[in-house]
Amino acid sequence: MTDGYQGATAESIKHHYDVSNDFFALWLDTELTYTCALRADGDTLESAQRRKLDYLIEGARAAGTRRVLDVGCGWGSLLKRLVGTYGVEHAVGLTLSDSQAERLRELALPRTEVRVENWLDHEPDGTYDAIISIGAFEHFARTGLSRAERVAAYREFFDRCRQWLPKGGRIGLQTNIKGNNVQMDKQTVRDLLFIMDTIFPESEIPALSEVLEATEKLFDVVTLRNDPDHYSRTPGKAERTVTSGCRESSSKPCDLPLDRRATSRSST
């Protein structure tokens, strides 16, 4: 990995995502779409996750384009949607998880490419028409950094994205964001420590102000959403999936503080 990277190490990413694909299949949707869905009344977990993907694809103006980059591509649901539904000619996915890459190679999605590669090491063959990143940004600054160091780490990511996009090109970003709680009870503190130590080691959730500061003079924020209620309902649907499909499983996904989606365009 490139020297100077301030995010979670590849080992920490594998700690979470390489548990086993079978485990994640227990409680994610059929396409193994991770992170918060975008809910509407009457949704299934699958339809809510598709709505999330569609929202970000449309916000990034990725439909019908030549090349799209997916930073933190997971098990490939966005890549599949891009080439299968939205007519993208070529979609590139970056992941640090060997298990995710193995599944994608088995799927052999047409017009897609998966690389086990950090975004800081990525050297594209040409520019991208759009970039989308879902649930990876939380890993771009490890715990223990100062605010200034976190902002610098995020800014490096946005600077790379700007270099890879044409003038006016857009990035669709979904990330968890720290809430505004100034007081927490003991159970909340224990839950957060469990997430930091066991679920997402070496990863610190950003503050919204840090994300926005990191984009200054690189991207203009076009839209911004805050959907904490959608996040809290996504694990609920996943839990019911586990309960109905595998009642002996004691696994339960954790709810994280806040979820925000942002679409930005390159500053002109």
Side-chain angles (χ1 to χ4, degrees):
M1 187 177 296
T2 299
D3 292 339
Y5 179 61
Q6 295 294 306
T9 62
E11 290 73 22
S12 293
I13 299 299
K14 295 176 191 296
H15 168 84
H16 180 78
Y17 294 101
D18 285 356
V19 174
S20 83
N21 290 341
D22 290 339
F23 166 73
F24 286 100
L26 285 173
W27 53 276
L28 297 181
D29 69 345
T30 54
E31 300 293 344
L32 300 188
T33 310
Y34 208 24
T35 76
C36 178
L38 189 57
R39 291 286 312 279
D41 291 341
D43 266 343
T44 62
L45 181 59
E46 285 76 11
S47 61
Q49 290 289 19
R50 284 194 299 271
R51 181 175 291 103
K52 180 262 297 291
L53 298 179
D54 292 345
Y55 175 82
L56 288 161
I57 291 170
E58 292 163 5
R61 295 181 177 173
T65 58
R66 184 177 57 89
R67 281 166 52 86
V68 177
L69 176 65
D70 180 2
V71 181
C73 64
W75 291 271
S77 63
L78 177 64
L79 296 174
K80 183 177 181 179
R81 194 97 176 135
L82 285 167
V83 298
T85 302
Y86 283 89
V88 171
E89 293 181 20
H90 187 71
V92 178
L94 304 184
T95 180
L96 294 178
S97 166
D98 292 326
S99 296
Q100 292 176 345
E102 179 183 2
R103 181 178 187 270
L104 279 165
R105 293 185 183 111
E106 291 173 353
L107 290 176
L109 297 172
R111 308 195 311 281
T112 64
E113 175 186 353
V114 59
R115 300 186 186 183
V116 181
E117 183 177 76
N118 189 292
W119 58 264
L120 197 58
D121 298 319
H122 185 54
E123 297 182 0
D125 299 329
T127 59
Y128 293 103
D129 299 296
I131 299 173
I132 299 173
S133 183
I134 304 174
F137 196 84
E138 298 91 326
H139 303 301
F140 293 171
R142 68 172 64 100
T143 52
L145 298 180
S146 67
R147 175 190 168 90
E149 289 171 327
R150 290 194 301 273
V151 170
Y154 303 144
R155 188 167 183 81
E156 178 68 22
F157 170 70
F158 287 120
D159 185 58
R160 294 295 179 98
C161 290
R162 180 184 169 90
Q163 294 176 37
W164 297 332
L165 288 167
K167 184 178 180 180
R170 289 191 176 190
I171 174 173
L173 176 70
Q174 177 170 318
T175 181
N176 289 283
I177 293 293
K178 289 176 182 174
N180 292 317
N181 294 339
V182 294
Q183 293 182 334
M184 294 183 287
D185 58 29
K186 291 182 179 179
Q187 184 59 52
T188 300
V189 172
R190 284 193 293 267
D191 290 344
L192 290 174
L193 288 174
F194 175 75
I195 292 170
M196 293 169 61
D197 294 338
T198 305
I199 304 299
F200 292 117
E202 296 187 347
S203 300
E204 181 161 346
I205 295 173
L208 175 60
S209 59
E210 295 170 353
V211 180
L212 296 178
E213 183 178 345
T215 67
E216 288 181 1
K217 298 184 180 180
L218 295 174
F219 287 92
D220 297 320
V221 176
V222 178
T223 61
L224 176 67
R225 298 183 55 131
N226 176 20
D227 297 301
D229 55 329
H230 293 253
Y231 206 113
S232 63
R233 285 189 280 175
T234 300
K237 278 188 170 290
E239 182 183 0
R240 288 192 290 275
T241 302
V242 173
T243 303
S244 62
C246 186
R247 293 187 180 276
E248 67 272 18
S249 172
S250 61
S251 303
K252 182 179 179 180
C254 292
D255 183 22
L256 298 178
L258 282 178
D259 182 76
R260 293 179 188 263
R261 298 176 181 84
T263 303
S264 300
R265 64 184 176 192
S266 298
S267 298
T268 56

